[in-house]
Amino acid sequence: MIDNTIVFPVIVHLFTAILLLFFWRKTLAHRIISITGSTIGIAIAINLFAKVWGGDILTMEAAGWKSPFGITFVADVFSSTMVLLTSFSGLAVSVFSAIGIARGRIIYGYFPMLHFLLMGLNGAFLTGDIFNLYVYFEVIIIASFVLITLGGRKAQIEGSVKYMAMNILASTFFLTGIGILYGITGSLNMADLSLKVAALENRTLVDLTAIFFIIGFGIKSAVFPLYFWLPSSYHTPPSAVAAVFAGLLTKVGIYALFRMFTLIFVPDEFTRTLLIVIAVLTILTGTFGAVIKNNIRRMFSYLIVCHIGFMVGGLGMYSEVALTGALFYLFHDIMVKTNIFLIAGLIRKLRGTMNMDKLGGLYAEYPLLSFVIAIVLFSLVGIPPLSGFWPKIYLFEAGLMDNQYVLIAAIIIGSFATLYVISMMWAKVFWKDQPTVEGEEALTDDFRPLSKFKKSLLVGPIVFLAAITLYIGLAAENVTQVAKHIAGEMKDTTPYIEAVLGTNETQ
Amino acid sequence: MLLAVLAGLIVSILYIPLGKYLRGRLAVLAALLPIGLFAYFASFIPTIQAGQHVHFHHPWVPSLGINLDFHLDGLSLLFSLLITGIGSLVFLYTASYLKGHRYLDKFYGYLCLFMASMLGVVLSDNVLLLFIFWELTSISSFFLIGFNNDDAASRKSSIIALCITMGGGFFLMVGLILMGHLSGNYSIQEMMSTNEYLKSHALYGLILLLVFIGAFTKSAQFPFHFWLPGAMRAPTPVSAYLHSATMVKAGIYLLARLQPVLGGTDYWMYPLIVVGGITMVYSAFHSIFRTDLKSILAYSTIAALGMLVFLIGIGTAESLLAASVFILVHALYKASLFLTAGVIDHETGTRDITQLSGLRKVLMPVSIAGILAALSSAGLPFTFGFIGKDLIYEATLHTAGILTAILTGLAVLTNILLLCAGFLAGIRPFTGKLPDRFHGIHLPHGLLWGAPLLLAVLGVVFGCAPFLVDGILFNPAAEAMYQSAIDSPLKIWHGFNLVLLLSGITLVVGTLLYVVRKPSAASLAAIERYNYLSPKHIIGQLARYARKISIYYTGTLHNGYLRVYLLRIIITTVLLFAIRLFMGGPIRLSIDHLSPISIYEVVVAAILIAAVYITVTASSRLTVVVATSVLGYCVCLLFVFYSAPDLAMTQFSIDTLTVVLFVLVLFRLPPFLNFANRRTRIRDGVVASAFGLMIALVAIQVLNQPIDTEVSQFYGDNAYTLAKGRNVVNVILVDFRGLDTMFEIVVLSIAAIGVVSLLKLRLKASEKE
């Protein structure tokens, strides 16, 4: 069904960003416009989700050119859920940034970049055209590059060079893949590609093409052995930036993997095995990295890598149960990962450091805040009945159905390591008395002097995301329904293709 | 029933806003909850005695088959009464024990959370629901062990306890999911009907392994037992409640509950007997060497848990009855001993039994409680312990063949050692001469000595009059495990038989051992010399190795060199291509479809290769820039040959611009250094060639595909008629695919803003984020 409003999630952030550019150097206006823009974004996303959940897959054909000739936007449940979660993360980060981001950065275009980034993400989720997807990836890369370098500190630049080099390489693979795909099918429309690739007889060539996408999206999602940019860069930018990266950047890679490998390259034996091997090694790599890090953000960075493996493993098993689990995990992960990086930022605000050995005493000083943070951390670990627990049931069940015992073992190891590092963090940062640190590294508390309103702008987003996480955990039935529905659409892509190309084309 | 289970959760949440009002005198009110729940569960006694069960169902996550299904039968009732009953006393005791503590409200909050979770464990009919509560008990235990969070040892113990119990929990989770998957649903009652299928399934062994790991870690069985002595860092009421009477019995409960589903085979029986046997002898032996009151009690608790596993393993009606009786026997005397130890610690400030003696003179009611509990643990006639022990011996004696002697021997040995440990903890501190420094001690508040005394007296009452409880508690509980009617009233007197003889031997030898052996720091040191053989040490060592491996692995992989990362990505790609090509059988390349190669192309290719060679070998930056620009122009020429003049023009301008920009910044850069030696160059050359080869192979295959021109045909046909443009490329860029162009413009704008900020923005040092 054609509905041109599905492009609004992209437009709203584009307009917000442009509006922000008109208020260059006016920091208060930037804060207000950004928060307003993100709030409207949520309203639009909720509206979109409600429409799609209630009925058909919606499409929009840019400039009225019929698919597969023009660029098509498609909003199915998967896309609109991702847009919805992105809008939640977006608002949380907008609000947190109002206080959490230094004035200097806001003057030099922090907020426009944030909204360009959100625009790119929403575009990537909604587009039904593979070259257009590439364009949004470009937007995402360049906006994130500006965000990561903004401030120009030495560590930032070093991290961002690695970030940029590897992400450009990823784009190159992606683009090469698109070129080859166009060469063998003559189309860029994803629904059309789905039909044409399925009809190809040279399956070796199809797999070889798929490898380009696995490498390209694999770098983006930070899987083994392509993940190096992530732990090299995520600890360098401001926490609000790291939060949006952690919550959404690797996940857009995962989104693209799921989209491509359920719609266009339906996984064969080779791809499935490859994905599962990658998943296992990714989980182990994240595990090994996380257990030895003493800096909160570095540890979280490796946990991102570890948990990416859970989702890739789910895709690798490619059963409806496994996909449901992986999708549920994806939803949970976006909310939790955004939040833990915001929490890291708040801790830095409170104490001036993220080194766990120098931190302590937060539980005694801020009991209520610690309680909220505990809920988030426990959700990350997957302590039942919080949000990280439910998807594992599906993943384990799918693993047992598919005899993937190595993957199950890896998920257990990954979960165990998460439990261990989080309990260590809890003991060190919250329980332990504040150690005395002297000299240059003496701790600074930038939080206490703030007014009550400013404090609530920092804590509010964390509570907001924690509430959503809590909802995902306690109302797991609703989330399960969504994940199941999407998994069903992934296994049977006919509705998607019919929505884009019309019923006649498929017969 | 839902409310009964969730009451604790709700109350613990209410403690967050309201806690501060309950820190003072009102703390006693906290005990209203467990007392009320005890009364509630007690009201079910007649129903259960009549052989009926109580169900409750409320949907929660039906898609996963996880619903709030509760099922109350004899076994659940026994545990529920235990949890709420001992809970009531512990809540009262705490009000006095931690009087005025600034976190008293949080303590009660955690205790309520624990109580609710534990009730959930024993009442859930759905295995995954059971698992959810199971993990919640671990979490509440984590917070309670680390309650004194400024103490490093407490923090460490709580982490170890959490990691062991929840680590086992992950295995249990997989095991339960596997059971649910095979039997088609997660209800324990339903699983019983498919138990034959489960037991004959090829994965039965795996299920057992996973479930056992879960149960053994939770119930502190060898070799996972070591978290329990560490957990004694928790305040004493916690040790009494969680780590002796209830939480550690969750594993026992699980085994008992699953006995009718999975039990009755050799694979079930022998691992339980062996692990339970090792645990009980090992820990009972260790317990008599300890000098710390709570350590003695911790090890003897592990031994008792081992005994329970051992009894469930035997799996006869008698042994299951013995197990259900022993659960209560142990809970009564052990909680009483713990609470006594708590009073001693509270009043004297020490728990070292080499220093404690004669306390009966100042703490008379406490000493009565301690001595009665010790006697019950010893199994003296007319105590409840006597009945428990008789049943254990009867169970071991009625096993078949060679097992009889071995199992009975083990049970007797353990009981002798446990008797000695019980005397050390319950009698020794009260007998002998009172040291001078303890003269000033006064009897504390009644709640502190009342709770252990009540428990100890109950031990004697049930011992004298077992008929009070057997029909209403133990027979239904054992029936739930055995799944057929059991009607054997507990008896005080069995006549002169072998069982009585064994009981006598236990008493005499144990008492002798107690009298002869004096606990001392020296003997503790002697046994600690063998610590390097203990599971705790070995697992700790393994953890250290794992850490070393992690450091090495992460350091090697993530070594900080961008060029290495890129190299690895390329190598991975080449390998994947190679594997897939190799799998696809012999590579057939046909060049029939390709147009013939012209002389121009050959020349351009030659220049290209030469330019590449110069780029990688040049020793000055300027040369490199020039050589790469030659590369770019050659590509432009190729575009021209393949009839794409507009592309060529674009590429041409970009290349020119790049060279100009490069030359402009060239002289501001640091001196050109080439770190690559011959070996790395060869390596890079090989990787690059391999990558090029792979791409070429793919490209040739692509060219062999028939070309589908539907889309490009459409563009050609309609550019003028519909889009009103003469240049098809332009129409594609601004109309057919105008959206792409628009967002590429956005990309350029973003880049421009980025450059401005990168050049101009200088942050102040105070601007951290």
Side-chain angles (χ1 to χ4, degrees):
Chain A
M1 208 167 74
I2 301 241
D3 183 343
N4 289 340
T5 61
I6 66 169
V7 78
F8 282 3
V10 184
I11 301 290
V12 67
H13 288 294
L14 179 65
F15 279 13
T16 309
I18 292 172
L19 193 60
L20 284 165
L21 292 177
F22 282 110
F23 290 88
W24 191 251
R25 298 186 77 92
K26 299 204 171 47
T27 54
L28 182 64
H30 269 207
R31 292 177 175 125
I32 294 170
I33 295 171
S34 168
I35 294 173
T36 315
S38 298
T39 313
I40 298 173
I42 287 196
I44 291 173
I46 291 175
N47 181 41
L48 176 69
F49 181 81
K51 272 197 234 171
V52 174
W53 182 242
D56 303 327
I57 296 173
L58 303 176
T59 60
M60 183 211 76
E61 290 169 340
W65 296 112
K66 288 260 162 271
S67 311
F69 307 114
I71 292 172
T72 310
F73 271 54
V74 188
D76 60 355
V77 178
F78 190 21
S79 304
S80 27
T81 311
M82 294 302 284
V83 168
L84 185 64
L85 295 173
T86 305
S87 70
F88 291 147
S89 280
L91 179 66
V93 173
S94 273
V95 176
F96 189 88
S97 306
I99 304 301
I101 292 290
R103 205 183 132 75
R105 288 194 166 101
I106 297 182
I107 290 177
Y108 281 96
Y110 167 80
F111 278 114
M113 287 307 134
L114 179 64
H115 286 279
F116 279 131
L117 180 64
L118 293 172
M119 175 198 81
L121 288 164
N122 281 344
F125 297 137
L126 286 170
T127 189
D129 184 280
I130 194 160
F131 187 79
N132 198 233
L133 179 64
Y134 171 79
V135 173
Y136 293 117
F137 269 80
E138 293 267 274
V139 174
I140 293 167
I141 290 185
I142 196 80
S144 58
F145 183 65
V146 175
L147 282 173
I148 207 171
T149 53
L150 196 63
R153 291 241 157 81
K154 209 172 165 184
Q156 277 186 291
I157 302 291
E158 197 201 333
S160 60
V161 167
K162 288 170 187 159
Y163 174 82
M164 201 59 190
M166 276 180 266
N167 274 288
I168 292 275
L169 188 62
S171 291
T172 312
F173 276 110
F174 182 16
L175 188 61
T176 315
I178 294 175
I180 293 172
L181 209 48
Y182 186 74
I184 55 181
T185 60
S187 181
L188 293 171
N189 181 293
M190 284 160 43
D192 196 31
L193 282 171
S194 173
L195 297 175
K196 288 189 171 153
V197 169
L200 282 175
E201 275 176 21
N202 188 345
R203 296 320 287 179
T204 308
L205 185 55
V206 171
D207 274 354
L208 290 177
T209 317
I211 289 173
F212 281 99
F213 290 94
I214 291 189
I215 299 283
F217 297 142
I219 296 176
K220 296 258 169 222
S221 0
V223 301
F224 179 91
L226 318 166
Y227 67 96
F228 306 103
W229 61 271
L230 195 151
S232 304
S233 62
Y234 269 23
H235 59 281
T236 62
S239 295
V241 174
V244 92
F245 284 18
L248 296 166
L249 283 203
T250 46
K251 308 308 177 304
V252 78
I254 290 290
Y255 167 84
L257 268 181
F258 271 73
R259 189 60 95 188
M260 289 299 287
F261 284 87
T262 53
L263 185 62
I264 299 173
F265 302 107
V266 176
D268 57 6
E269 195 61 37
F270 170 76
T271 321
R272 291 183 49 200
T273 315
L274 178 62
L275 287 172
I276 286 174
V277 171
I278 287 177
V280 170
L281 293 173
T282 306
I283 294 172
L284 294 181
T285 306
T287 299
F288 286 143
V291 295
I292 60 168
K293 293 292 171 192
N294 230 346
N295 177 300
I296 296 178
R297 281 210 304 206
R298 284 176 190 265
M299 179 189 90
F300 284 164
S301 300
Y302 272 106
L303 284 183
I304 296 178
V305 175
C306 177
H307 298 152
I308 287 289
F310 291 13
M311 294 172 251
V312 175
L315 178 62
M317 289 188 280
Y318 194 64
S319 57
E320 198 163 330
V321 177
L323 290 174
T324 309
L327 288 166
F328 197 130
Y329 202 92
L330 176 63
F331 305 154
H332 138 85
D333 207 49
I334 292 176
M335 290 296 107
V336 169
K337 289 277 156 54
T338 312
N339 210 355
I340 57 173
F341 276 82
L342 291 183
I343 288 168
L346 184 63
I347 291 175
R348 191 190 222 181
K349 212 63 175 173
L350 292 169
R351 290 285 191 265
T353 179
M354 295 202 210
N355 183 330
M356 287 197 257
D357 290 339
K358 292 180 195 158
L359 286 165
L362 291 182
Y363 182 60
E365 209 174 324
Y366 301 99
L368 211 56
L369 182 64
S370 303
F371 174 71
V372 175
I373 295 176
I375 289 180
V376 179
L377 294 178
F378 289 164
S379 302
L380 175 69
V381 176
I383 288 169
L386 298 172
S387 60
F389 164 70
W390 304 101
K392 281 181 204 160
I393 298 180
Y394 280 114
L395 289 176
F396 283 144
E397 195 183 344
L400 292 167
M401 278 158 64
D402 202 21
N403 296 328
Q404 297 290 353
Y405 297 109
V406 181
L407 182 62
I408 291 179
I411 294 178
I412 291 181
I413 292 172
S415 306
F416 182 76
T418 313
L419 167 72
Y420 170 75
V421 295
I422 293 298
S423 60
M424 282 300 267
M425 175 185 160
W426 180 260
K428 280 181 177 174
V429 178
F430 292 87
W431 270 355
K432 185 180 69 183
D433 283 341
Q434 174 65 52
T436 44
V437 188
E438 287 172 6
E440 269 182 40
E441 305 200 330
L443 302 176
T444 49
D445 187 345
D446 297 333
F447 187 71
R448 210 162 272 282
L450 295 175
S451 70
K452 222 171 176 152
F453 175 67
K454 287 184 175 175
K455 279 182 187 169
S456 68
L457 286 184
L458 285 176
V459 177
I462 293 173
V463 176
F464 170 65
L465 291 178
I468 296 173
T469 304
L470 214 51
Y471 176 82
I472 296 179
L474 299 182
E477 176 63 21
N478 300 349
V479 185
T480 306
Q481 292 293 347
V482 174
K484 255 195 173 158
H485 182 98
I486 300 172
E489 286 187 345
M490 285 179 170
K491 292 298 273 188
D492 175 20
T493 52
T494 330
Y496 183 97
I497 296 169
E498 282 181 0
V500 176
L501 298 176
T503 32
N504 301 336
E505 290 277 339
T506 51
Q507 269 136 38
Chain B
M1 191 180 290
L2 179 64
L3 188 66
V5 176
L6 295 185
L9 282 174
I10 296 163
V11 171
S12 69
I13 291 168
L14 286 180
Y15 263 107
I16 297 169
L18 302 175
K20 49 183 173 288
Y21 307 111
L22 286 169
R23 259 175 240 169
R25 288 172 173 280
L26 293 174
V28 181
L29 293 180
L32 288 178
L33 175 69
I35 293 172
L37 288 173
F38 183 77
Y40 173 76
F41 285 110
S43 72
F44 283 107
I45 290 177
T47 321
I48 299 298
Q49 202 175 2
Q52 286 167 333
H53 297 172
V54 184
H55 299 278
F56 175 85
H57 172 84
H58 183 79
W60 185 20
V61 190
S63 320
L64 272 167
I66 302 180
N67 296 311
L68 299 170
D69 283 317
F70 297 112
H71 180 89
L72 185 74
D73 62 1
L75 187 61
S76 304
L77 184 68
L78 172 65
F79 271 92
S80 302
L81 290 173
L82 201 65
I83 294 160
T84 50
I86 296 199
S88 307
L89 293 175
V90 166
F91 271 61
L92 288 170
Y93 181 89
T94 305
S96 178
Y97 188 82
L98 289 178
K99 196 172 184 176
H101 195 288
R102 65 183 176 132
Y103 290 144
L104 182 59
D105 53 334
K106 283 187 189 152
F107 188 81
Y108 273 123
Y110 296 140
L111 273 187
C112 288
L113 173 67
F114 167 74
M115 190 176 66
S117 327
M118 194 66 206
L119 282 174
V121 168
V122 301
L123 290 169
S124 298
D125 180 44
N126 184 303
V127 284
L128 287 179
L129 185 65
L130 185 152
F131 178 75
I132 290 171
F133 287 116
W134 174 283
E135 296 286 77
L136 284 178
T137 62
S138 295
I139 278 292
S140 40
S141 151
F142 172 72
F143 281 107
L144 287 166
I145 298 172
F147 185 66
N148 295 318
N149 55 44
D150 40 9
D151 173 26
S154 287
R155 294 197 299 268
K156 194 176 170 199
S157 303
S158 62
I159 290 176
I160 292 177
L162 182 74
C163 286
I164 300 271
T165 50
M166 286 193 80
F170 290 125
F171 289 93
L172 177 63
M173 181 176 167
V174 179
L176 296 176
I177 292 172
L178 183 54
M179 279 171 71
H181 177 64
L182 293 181
S183 54
N185 67 70
Y186 290 116
S187 157
I188 297 172
Q189 298 302 315
E190 300 287 325
M191 278 180 191
M192 283 181 198
S193 57
T194 51
N195 63 354
E196 287 309 320
Y197 173 70
L198 280 179
K199 283 187 224 173
S200 58
H201 197 278
L203 292 175
Y204 174 62
L206 183 66
I207 295 177
L208 285 188
L209 179 72
L210 295 167
V211 170
F212 284 166
I213 291 177
F216 291 167
T217 48
K218 192 79 167 181
S219 285
Q221 296 298 295
F222 187 90
F224 307 112
H225 63 279
F226 56 85
W227 68 265
L228 189 56
M232 296 299 144
R233 291 274 166 191
T236 305
V238 176
S239 309
Y241 191 29
L242 272 72
H243 303 127
S244 143
T246 56
M247 187 186 97
V248 288
K249 296 217 175 86
I252 307 295
Y253 169 80
L254 183 76
L255 293 175
R257 181 51 82 198
L258 294 181
Q259 158 85 24
V261 181
L262 298 172
T265 63
D266 285 355
Y267 298 109
W268 169 269
M269 181 177 162
Y270 288 107
L272 291 184
I273 292 180
V274 169
V275 172
I278 292 176
T279 308
M280 68 190 194
V281 176
Y282 177 91
S283 328
F285 178 73
H286 268 269
S287 66
I288 63 167
F289 284 92
R290 305 287 134 176
T291 56
D292 178 82
L293 267 179
K294 281 175 82 177
S295 284
I296 297 173
L297 294 174
Y299 276 101
S300 65
T301 301
I302 301 172
L305 295 168
M307 180 74 85
L308 287 167
V309 170
F310 174 83
L311 288 172
I312 293 172
I314 295 172
T316 57
E318 279 166 331
S319 77
L320 294 177
L321 182 65
S324 62
V325 173
F326 191 61
I327 286 169
L328 184 63
V329 170
H330 174 252
L332 288 177
Y333 78 70
K334 194 52 69 63
S336 171
L337 285 176
F338 263 112
L339 296 180
T340 317
V343 180
I344 294 172
D345 189 17
H346 200 258
E347 300 306 316
T348 66
T350 178
R351 298 195 308 242
D352 186 342
I353 53 165
T354 58
Q355 295 183 23
L356 294 167
S357 64
L359 291 174
R360 68 180 184 287
K361 290 172 187 155
V362 284
L363 299 171
M364 195 53 188
V366 185
S367 67
I368 295 174
I371 292 168
L372 284 181
L375 292 180
S376 181
S377 102
L380 215 66
F382 300 109
T383 64
F384 204 25
F386 177 72
I387 297 171
K389 194 174 308 166
D390 269 9
L391 286 168
I392 294 171
Y393 290 155
E394 265 186 45
T396 58
L397 283 174
H398 290 174
T399 49
I402 182 126
L403 276 181
T404 314
I406 301 173
L407 299 186
T408 311
L410 286 177
V412 172
L413 177 62
T414 309
N415 274 327
I416 290 172
L417 293 167
L418 279 184
L419 179 145
C420 182
F423 281 10
L424 283 177
I427 295 184
R428 195 181 152 85
F430 301 106
T431 52
K433 188 172 161 296
L434 185 71
D436 289 343
R437 65 186 174 112
F438 293 151
H439 275 300
I441 293 173
H442 297 289
L443 194 61
H445 192 275
L447 288 176
L448 276 183
W449 55 262
L453 189 60
L454 179 61
L455 288 170
V457 169
L458 275 181
V460 178
V461 172
F462 292 158
C464 297
F467 54 84
L468 289 175
V469 281
D470 60 355
I472 59 177
L473 280 183
F474 303 119
N475 286 339
E479 275 168 24
M481 294 189 246
Y482 198 62
Q483 285 298 303
S484 59
I486 294 176
D487 184 22
S488 50
L490 305 183
K491 282 176 287 187
I492 310 174
W493 182 247
H494 292 265
F496 292 97
N497 56 16
L498 191 51
V499 173
L500 188 69
L501 179 66
L502 290 173
S503 276
I505 292 173
T506 312
L507 268 178
V508 173
V509 179
T511 313
L512 272 178
L513 186 66
Y514 170 69
V515 174
V516 173
R517 234 193 68 83
K518 291 286 167 239
S520 69
S523 65
L524 180 62
I527 194 163
E528 284 191 341
R529 238 177 282 143
Y530 297 97
N531 260 358
Y532 66 92
L533 289 174
S534 71
K536 180 179 184 177
H537 184 82
I538 293 168
I539 291 179
Q541 202 64 38
L542 286 177
R544 274 186 285 279
Y545 284 131
R547 201 182 157 75
K548 274 188 188 158
I549 292 171
S550 300
I551 291 174
Y552 175 77
Y553 177 89
T554 308
T556 316
L557 271 183
H558 191 235
N559 56 10
Y561 293 113
L562 177 59
R563 54 178 179 275
V564 181
Y565 303 159
L566 295 179
L567 184 72
R568 288 198 197 122
I569 293 176
I570 302 289
I571 291 176
T572 310
T573 318
V574 172
L575 282 179
L576 288 183
F577 279 138
I579 292 170
R580 187 60 188 89
L581 278 173
F582 178 76
M583 276 172 46
I587 306 165
R588 279 184 299 274
L589 288 178
S590 107
I591 47 172
D592 306 340
H593 297 284
L594 305 182
S595 48
I597 298 170
S598 72
I599 180 75
Y600 306 111
E601 287 163 350
V602 175
V603 173
V604 170
I607 300 174
L608 250 173
I609 292 168
V612 169
Y613 182 77
I614 293 170
T615 309
V616 296
T617 54
S619 59
S620 109
R621 250 196 210 110
L622 196 60
T623 328
V624 175
V625 171
V626 172
T628 37
S629 69
V630 171
L631 261 174
Y633 293 142
C634 290
V635 175
C636 292
L637 281 176
L638 288 176
F639 285 151
V640 173
F641 294 151
Y642 299 131
S643 57
D646 42 351
L647 264 187
M649 283 309 295
T650 318
Q651 181 82 24
F652 198 75
S653 16
I654 290 173
D655 260 306
T656 315
L657 201 63
T658 316
V659 173
V660 172
L661 286 175
F662 246 131
V663 174
L664 279 179
V665 297
L666 209 56
F667 297 103
R668 294 182 149 265
L669 294 177
F672 183 73
L673 292 172
N674 196 341
F675 293 106
N677 58 25
R678 210 182 146 70
R679 255 184 71 195
T680 50
R681 275 162 189 251
I682 292 176
R683 180 199 65 190
D684 293 351
V686 170
V687 173
S689 314
F691 187 66
L693 182 71
M694 291 300 163
I695 298 283
L697 286 175
V698 175
I700 293 174
Q701 292 215 31
V702 172
L703 291 175
N704 277 324
Q705 287 290 319
I707 301 167
D708 184 332
T709 56
E710 187 194 2
V711 174
S712 46
Q713 193 69 42
F714 175 86
Y715 291 158
D717 292 347
N718 296 306
Y720 188 66
T721 52
L722 289 178
K724 316 293 179 205
R726 288 180 195 281
N727 183 327
V728 181
V729 176
N730 284 354
V731 173
I732 292 176
L733 285 179
V734 302
D735 196 340
F736 291 128
R737 302 192 61 91
L739 218 51
D740 286 343
T741 316
M742 181 180 120
F743 284 108
E744 286 294 349
I745 294 169
V746 173
V747 169
L748 286 181
S749 328
I750 298 172
I753 299 169
V755 170
V756 171
S757 65
L758 202 53
L759 289 177
K760 286 198 148 179
L761 173 57
R762 290 289 167 270
L763 284 179
K764 283 177 255 166
S766 62
E767 295 181 311
K768 278 193 167 133
E769 295 261 287

